[in-house]
Amino acid sequence: FVDAMREFRRCCPPLLKNREAVDRSGREAKHLYAFLDLPGLQRLIDPVLANHGVSYKWDGATTETSITTTCILSHVEGHSETSTFTCQATGTSIMSQPQKMASATTFGRRYSLTGVLGKSPENDTDARDLTPPDIPDHRTDAPQSQPRGDRATEQDCIELWEEWQQHNTRGDKP
């Protein structure tokens, strides 16, 4: 397990934030923070973990207002490690209680997974050097999502991963 995790950390591509949280409640949209979403994280780590015989799953517990999520990281030879994350399921005023719980679950999965891996996004700026993006006025009650054309495709990820591996194998710094 220790060897597999060492190799995972050596081979894992940089975990770069790929989404922005924006407050659209006022007249102008306000950038709050950037983050690496759970699907983006999984696209980066899953192939590397699988190559080293490592997998993960989640377990959880709920109360009326909070979610506790535990990520269980397991090696094919049987060893496992866990990381637990608890957060309140508060959400926004337009979210139903199940939506608040689902949001807290996703948040807990992301943080328990990065915790058990000992990894975090590498472009963490703590919002010190980020400026609000120029975003046109939108409805404040509609869910906001990144346009599909702005996201990396699976093929883009494969090509970037192959390029990163070539640099890593030669000893170049990416």
Side-chain angles (χ1 to χ4, degrees), residues 114-127:
T114 56
V116 78
L117 294 173
K119 298 280 289 176
S120 61
E122 295 186 16
N123 59 338
D124 190 0
T125 61
D126 293 331

Side-chain angles (χ1 to χ4, degrees), residues 12-31:
C12 186
L15 304 181
L16 301 177
K17 294 179 181 184
N18 64 343
R19 300 286 303 272
E20 290 184 354
V22 179
D23 178 0
R24 300 181 195 290
S25 62
R27 288 194 62 171
E28 294 187 29
K30 179 181 175 188
H31 172 82

Side-chain angles (χ1 to χ4, degrees), residues 42-102:
Q42 291 175 298
R43 278 191 299 273
L44 292 169
I45 66 168
D46 285 358
V48 185
L49 287 172
N51 284 341
H52 299 291
V54 180
S55 63
Y56 58 90
K57 66 180 182 177
W58 290 282
D59 195 5
T62 62
T63 69
E64 208 170 289
T65 59
S66 69
I67 296 281
T68 298
T69 306
T70 300
C71 185
I72 303 125
L73 188 70
S74 302
H75 188 259
V76 294
E77 293 183 8
H79 183 79
S80 64
E81 298 278 332
T82 64
S83 176
T84 299
F85 187 88
T86 300
C87 63
Q88 297 299 307
T90 54
T92 65
S93 62
I94 64 169
M95 295 171 78
S96 67
Q97 189 59 31
Q99 288 171 319
K100 292 174 184 178
M101 298 300 268

Side-chain angles (χ1 to χ4, degrees), residues 159-171:
E159 290 171 5
L160 285 170
W161 173 243
E162 288 171 352
E163 183 179 334
W164 185 87
Q165 281 184 314
Q166 288 173 355
H167 286 289
N168 195 36
T169 303
R170 291 193 316 247

